[in-house]
Amino acid sequence: MARTITLANQKGGVGKTTTAINLAASFAVLEYKTLIVDADPQANTTSGVGFDPKSIKTSIYECMINEARPKNIILETDTPNLHLLPSRDDYDYVILDCSPSLGLITVNALAASDSVIIPVQCEYFALEGLGKLLNTIKIVQKRLNTELAIEGILLTMYDTRLRLSNQVVAEVKRHFRELIFSTIVHRNTRLGEAPSFGKPAIMYDADAKGAVNYMNLAREILQNNNATKIKESDKILNFDEQ
């Protein structure tokens, strides 16, 4: 049975799409069959894994409005084991990337998910709006999906050179200690370059800090969910300690 994880935050620029693409790719490299669903009308996830949104005739919109069958519109990416459902028991993991809003699509994604990951950037106003998002999640848990869990809060865009980054990490941990992932995603040039080549970071530069961060995140989620598969591919990369 696939585990469905939604990436949600009504704020833009927090690393939500970057996380969706690179977490999904990390699961795929670890040989977990993974589907990434682009539920953001901006279609950044679609282009980020190598497809031109303008050339795609059928997307998740047609599934919702015109009753197109999702299985018929799934696309294979260049990353083995990673498929795209453009802007389900056939997979180990389904990753949903939503728009930066708390609108109908995001609420529907949360209603259909097992858990939610909340990316939070290590920048000023990091906690702004987080309370509203958590309140929306509580409403979904109460009225639509009693099984919905918070997979964790992911700190992104961390810059070791900036005092502010360390202050934000301390502040977020002070408020939400039990919800914070141990993995922190560092600000990384390669991570920012990869989407322009239509590739996840791990396929663009597997040794890049950002690629390693997301592989560590995938492993942390697997461990938290007591995943028992032991993959030979776990030994491919050098996993640096944070």
Side-chain angles (χ1 to χ4, degrees):
M1 185 71 177
R3 181 169 181 83
T4 303
I5 303 174
T6 286
L7 274 295
N9 196 324
Q10 73 270 34
K11 289 185 67 178
V14 299
K16 181 175 52 56
T17 295
T18 298
T19 298
I21 292 171
N22 289 287
L23 176 59
S26 296
F27 281 139
V29 168
L30 291 172
E31 298 181 16
Y32 290 86
K33 195 172 181 184
T34 305
L35 176 69
I36 185 167
V37 180
D38 190 350
D40 185 349
Q42 297 179 79
N44 290 332
T45 294
T46 299
S47 59
V49 294
F51 295 98
D52 180 2
K54 294 179 182 177
S55 68
I56 294 174
K57 305 302 180 185
T58 310
S59 69
I60 193 173
Y61 176 82
E62 281 71 30
C63 295
M64 297 173 68
I65 303 300
N66 297 329
E67 299 184 355
R69 295 188 63 193
K71 196 167 186 177
N72 293 338
I73 67 171
I74 290 172
L75 304 172
E76 292 190 20
T77 74
D78 291 334
T79 304
N81 297 315
L82 180 62
H83 295 169
L84 169 76
L85 178 59
S87 189
R88 214 156 68 75
D89 290 345
D90 293 328
Y91 296 92
D92 297 307
Y93 284 90
V94 178
I95 308 297
L96 287 84
D97 181 30
C98 299
S99 58
S101 74
L102 295 180
L104 188 60
I105 291 177
T106 298
V107 171
N108 273 289
L110 292 172
S113 295
D114 297 298
S115 62
V116 55
I117 292 175
I118 305 169
V120 173
Q121 80 278 35
C122 295
E123 296 178 357
Y124 199 59
F125 292 136
L127 296 178
E128 186 182 60
L130 195 53
K132 187 176 181 181
L133 173 58
L134 292 172
N135 187 54
T136 297
I137 291 171
K138 286 181 181 178
I139 292 172
V140 172
Q141 288 171 325
K142 184 177 180 179
R143 301 182 182 178
L144 300 172
N145 183 359
T146 58
E147 300 300 316
L148 179 66
I150 297 177
E151 194 80 44
I153 295 173
L154 176 67
L155 291 162
T156 64
M157 304 180 191
Y158 177 75
D159 191 335
T160 55
R161 301 167 299 177
L162 297 181
R163 186 179 180 185
L164 177 61
S165 286
N166 294 312
Q167 291 174 337
V168 170
V169 170
E171 184 74 1
V172 174
K173 285 185 174 180
R174 185 169 69 86
H175 283 87
F176 306 102
R177 180 173 296 276
E178 72 283 0
L179 296 177
I180 306 298
F181 283 112
S182 298
T183 302
I184 296 177
V185 179
H186 292 67
R187 188 177 291 279
N188 180 253
T189 302
R190 293 299 212 185
L191 203 56
E193 291 174 350
S196 65
F197 291 88
K199 295 181 179 180
I202 198 167
M203 301 300 289
Y204 178 62
D205 183 354
D207 295 323
K209 185 67 175 178
V212 175
N213 289 158
Y214 278 111
M215 186 62 77
N216 284 335
L217 176 64
R219 290 164 63 90
E220 184 176 350
I221 291 171
L222 291 171
Q223 184 176 14
N224 290 347
N225 288 289
N226 298 313
T228 56
K229 290 184 180 180
I230 299 175
K231 302 287 189 180
E232 188 63 28
S233 55
D234 285 356
K235 303 174 184 177
I236 292 176
L237 295 178
N238 176 27
F239 299 103
D240 296 334
E241 293 294 328
Q242 294 294 342

